[in-house]
Amino acid sequence: MTYDIIIRNGRWFDGTGAPSALRNIGIRDGRIAAVTPHPLDETGCAEVVDATGKWVLPGMVDVHTHYDVEVLNGPGLPESVRHGVTTVLLGSCSLSTIHVGGTDAGDLFGRVEAIPREHVVDAIDTAKTWNSAPEYVEALESRPLGPNVAAFIGHSDMRTATMGLDRATRSDVRPTSSEQAEMERMLRDALDAGFVGLSSQQLLFDKIDGETCRSRTLPSTYAKPRELRRLKSLVRKRGRVLQSGPDIQNPLNLVSQVAQSLPVLRKKLKTSLLSAADVKANPFAIMMMGPVARLVNRFGGDFRWQHLPVPFEVYADGIDLVVFEEFGAGAAALHLRDEVERNALLADEVYRRQFRKDYDSKFGVRVWHRDFFDAEIVDCPDESVVGKSFGQVGVDRGGLHPVDAFLDLVLEHGTKVRWRTTISNHRPEVLKKLARDPGIQMGFSDAGAHLRNMAFYNYGLRLLRHVRDSLRAGQPFMTLEQAVHRMTGELADWYGIDAGHLRVGDRADLVVLDPERLDDRLDAYAESTVEQYGNLSRMVNRNDETVDLVLIGGRAVVRDGAPTEILGVERTGSFLRAGQPTPPPRTNAERELADAR
């Protein structure tokens, strides 16, 4: 029998954590047809790939993205695919585009995820042909999807569509009985359509854009316990997943979110919580996360923390960075859209006094370390400050407080002051412990959001490098097979989607990579424009020599690190329905044959 593609003599990982081995792989009709140590008959095979010295692994699963807007007009999603990600989950952090219209979507996504609001509004208003979860799935599958897509339905999406954004973001307003019933109907429809579950959010420094409800927190943060219990009950009964973020300033909320997974007089609730991070501002918190997950799961729960397995380095243009939302003075500046008004505030001495007070405060839970000596300026019209920290600039300017040095530069140069800092995951030894902890999931890339602030599209490759380098140094913390499993089959199995494995009969979603190219280029800074966002320049990763080939549904979407001509033009990916096998999309020839019949 002939094959469509043969991958010859590569080191094959099946995604289960089983030992890898040199194998020849035959692909036919979008699926793995043969995995064997023996040579395959190449007669009639359209393509034979020599993978000698290369690794062949299942396509990676990114469980936390915000591609909900980008996928509508740029369905190829090349920034993830070119780094070996073949399945992405949409609808994280209570945000999805199932029920809201363009204006509300712009308000929900614009400021929280740092996606230009006007482009969100335009994308939804132009593209939206759906009014329900099943119609949304149809709309996605009518597009030339690059990767496979699975989805959560967002609580803030449902709440906004049901109650209106204004009522949905008022602490003194609860949904009426009919509004509660409508949200439950929306959730049932989504679960029936194959969504992996519900995403919610209780984190209080995620703020709304727009004018009407500007600077209020996301709608899901206003939900009272009864509303949450009823929605979670539906997810629990179906055995699907709740993805949520706790209010980190409220210990009771955090305990409640963790404990909800336990099967106390009810079924367990599969819960994926944000997030396990080795935060500089609180280096001891991470020590509790693994034990907490293990304790909950020991007593019958099914709980996971989400984790980005690389240093969490962020960039910012001026003061435009979400971490400033977590304290009063920072949020006050980001509340103002008008540049003149914002500059007047930044120059005001009363305001600066409050900013310095917030900066110097040692109390309260925080994400940002609030240390301007740990913040390097990477670009500025004043070249004399490039390469320095804001703290050092203050020293150079006669002993200015670091806050005043920062605000002075922002006033002088606005968003032309570009700077960076690492917020968390800065200790390699801690990352090693997290990578092998069974209560922690690899993911949380935030791909598609914070376009000017960070780029973790290649986080999977960077984890593989960390594992390989440790093996070479004789100090292994996990095997390569375990690392691949953690980013592929383990995730797909937990979320109940048809992905993440590379065995006979599985979908031919795979990556061929060169392990010798897992080098420092994985960390290099790069930018690329986003056509559908008015050619906005966003941070990306560019290590094109690492990934030789990416197949989705048995079709080549990346060669030699670059997208092929079919990515985003012909549909290679599918909507993956939870608990259901998914056939690869039909090829053009198959569609033409079916039409002819």
Side-chain angles (χ1 to χ4, degrees):
M1 297 181 68
T2 60
Y3 300 99
D4 301 320
I5 301 176
I6 290 174
I7 300 175
R8 188 171 56 197
N9 202 35
R11 182 177 177 181
W12 161 73
F13 299 78
D14 70 358
T16 70
S20 58
L22 293 182
R23 290 292 184 267
N24 300 295
I25 300 172
I27 297 167
R28 184 187 308 116
D29 297 330
R31 292 196 176 272
I32 305 300
V35 178
T36 175
H38 308 294
L40 293 171
D41 184 357
E42 300 176 2
T43 304
C45 182
E47 181 175 7
V48 177
V49 177
D50 184 4
T52 302
K54 309 294 175 63
W55 297 349
V56 184
L57 52 139
M60 287 175 273
V61 180
D62 190 341
V63 300
H64 190 115
T65 81
H66 290 284
Y67 275 134
D68 306 73
V69 178
E70 188 173 340
V71 74
L72 301 177
N73 295 324
L77 304 180
E79 296 307 332
S80 288
V81 172
R82 69 192 302 152
H83 298 293
V85 173
T86 59
T87 299
V88 300
L89 268 64
L90 308 179
S92 299
C93 299
S94 86
L95 302 175
S96 59
T97 60
I98 315 305
H99 295 288
V100 293
T103 299
D104 286 340
D107 289 353
L108 293 174
F109 279 87
R111 184 166 164 185
V112 172
E113 305 304 341
I115 305 172
R117 180 181 182 276
E118 64 274 17
H119 295 298
V120 177
V121 175
D122 182 65
I124 302 299
D125 284 345
T126 302
K128 189 166 185 179
T129 58
W130 59 89
N131 292 297
S132 67
E135 291 175 355
Y136 175 75
V137 174
E138 290 180 9
L140 286 183
E141 292 206 309
S142 72
R143 287 168 163 74
L145 291 175
N148 304 304
V149 170
F152 292 99
I153 186 169
H155 188 184
S156 289
D157 177 8
M158 298 190 301
R159 207 169 203 267
T160 300
T162 301
M163 302 174 64
L165 187 58
D166 180 49
R167 291 183 65 246
T169 53
R170 290 187 179 275
S171 58
D172 60 342
V173 175
R174 298 188 183 189
T176 65
S177 58
S178 62
E179 288 168 341
Q180 178 71 37
E182 179 65 2
M183 281 190 279
E184 292 172 24
R185 182 197 64 79
M186 290 175 173
L187 178 54
R188 281 194 298 269
D189 285 351
L191 298 178
D192 289 343
F195 281 54
V196 296
L198 169 71
S199 73
S200 192
Q201 183 74 299
Q202 274 68 56
L203 189 64
L204 296 181
F205 67 74
D206 284 341
K207 303 292 177 60
I208 292 174
D209 206 345
E211 296 297 336
T212 305
C213 304
R214 186 171 181 80
S215 294
R216 299 180 191 175
T217 56
L218 290 175
S220 63
T221 64
Y222 295 87
K224 300 298 189 290
R226 179 180 180 275
E227 176 184 338
L228 291 165
R229 281 196 304 270
R230 291 179 66 92
L231 295 175
K232 291 175 183 178
S233 176
L234 294 174
V235 179
R236 194 187 300 274
K237 289 176 182 177
R238 298 290 190 93
R240 302 288 172 84
V241 178
L242 174 73
Q243 182 250 295
S244 187
D247 176 6
I248 60 174
Q249 297 178 333
N250 182 351
L252 290 178
N253 179 264
L254 179 58
V255 170
S256 173
Q257 295 257 33
V258 171
Q260 69 191 357
S261 180
L262 290 168
V264 181
L265 302 177
R266 59 191 179 183
K267 291 181 65 175
K268 64 185 177 184
L269 176 61
K270 296 180 76 171
T271 302
S272 178
L273 207 63
L274 309 181
S275 76
D278 181 21
V279 181
K280 281 185 177 180
N282 189 350
F284 303 106
I286 194 64
M287 298 171 63
M288 299 173 57
M289 292 187 174
V292 165
R294 289 192 292 274
L295 180 65
V296 170
N297 294 334
R298 180 181 177 184
F299 285 95
D302 200 351
F303 177 85
R304 303 290 188 276
W305 297 101
Q306 290 187 6
H307 168 63
L308 177 71
V310 301
F312 202 97
E313 183 182 46
V314 296
Y315 284 68
D317 298 316
I319 200 170
D320 291 329
L321 185 64
V322 69
V323 295
F324 288 111
E325 301 274 20
E326 71 178 354
F327 61 95
L334 295 179
H335 174 75
L336 299 175
R337 301 175 68 177
D338 181 80
E339 183 178 1
V340 174
E341 290 184 28
R342 182 183 285 186
N343 285 346
L345 180 69
L346 300 186
D348 183 76
E349 181 53 37
V350 174
Y351 170 79
R352 287 185 171 220
R353 192 179 304 122
Q354 183 60 50
F355 201 127
R356 291 193 294 268
K357 182 179 179 180
D358 291 340
Y359 175 89
D360 290 329
S361 174
K362 305 301 181 185
F363 301 102
V365 179
R366 62 182 67 183
V367 173
W368 177 39
H369 48 71
R370 299 185 201 174
D371 181 3
F372 276 131
F373 281 93
D374 185 6
E376 180 190 4
I377 301 165
V378 296
D379 194 20
C380 182
D382 179 357
E383 295 183 0
S384 69
V385 302
V386 174
K388 297 180 180 180
S389 71
F390 291 108
Q392 184 59 50
V393 171
V395 171
D396 294 345
R397 293 186 175 185
L400 281 178
H401 191 284
V403 165
D404 291 303
F406 170 71
L407 295 177
D408 284 349
L409 283 173
V410 173
L411 278 171
E412 291 171 33
H413 305 293
T415 57
K416 293 181 181 179
V417 181
R418 189 152 176 80
W419 56 281
R420 68 182 177 188
T421 188
T422 298
I423 292 175
S424 62
N425 297 344
H426 52 294
R427 297 183 290 184
E429 293 308 311
V430 175
L431 285 179
K432 290 178 181 178
K433 293 179 181 178
L434 295 175
R436 60 176 181 259
D437 194 309
I440 288 172
Q441 289 182 337
M442 302 296 106
F444 195 56
S445 77
D446 254 4
H450 305 289
L451 306 177
R452 295 285 301 155
N453 303 131
M454 58 197 192
F456 302 122
Y457 300 100
N458 68 354
Y459 72 90
L461 301 178
R462 293 170 71 180
L463 176 61
L464 290 175
R465 179 186 62 185
H466 196 187
V467 174
R468 183 209 60 188
D469 289 351
S470 296
L471 288 167
R472 288 180 173 179
Q475 299 175 328
F477 63 95
M478 67 192 313
T479 67
L480 287 168
E481 290 84 357
Q482 289 170 326
V484 171
H485 172 59
R486 300 227 64 195
M487 296 186 293
T488 58
E490 177 183 306
L491 297 173
D493 292 345
W494 197 79
Y495 286 93
I497 54 177
D498 181 18
H501 297 99
L502 205 57
R503 306 158 302 193
V504 173
D506 287 326
R507 296 164 52 86
D509 304 329
L510 62 84
V511 185
V512 179
L513 65 85
D514 185 347
E516 298 306 315
R517 302 296 184 179
L518 293 171
D519 53 31
D520 290 345
R521 281 171 288 190
L522 298 178
D523 306 320
Y525 183 94
E527 294 191 14
S528 180
T529 57
V530 190
E531 182 179 354
Q532 60 267 35
Y533 293 156
N535 289 322
L536 171 73
S537 184
R538 72 165 154 192
M539 289 182 61
V540 297
N541 304 117
R542 284 294 181 271
N543 41 272
D544 295 346
E545 294 182 10
T546 308
V547 176
D548 286 0
L549 180 69
V550 178
L551 302 183
I552 299 178
R555 305 186 71 194
V557 293
V558 172
R559 291 186 192 278
D560 301 322
T564 66
E565 67 281 358
I566 71 168
L567 183 61
V569 176
E570 301 176 18
R571 185 163 77 88
T572 52
S574 299
F575 186 89
L576 304 185
R577 294 161 175 82
Q580 301 179 33
T582 306
R586 293 183 298 176
T587 65
N588 286 340
E590 289 171 332
R591 284 192 291 270
E592 291 172 3
L593 181 60
D595 291 342
R597 289 175 178 171

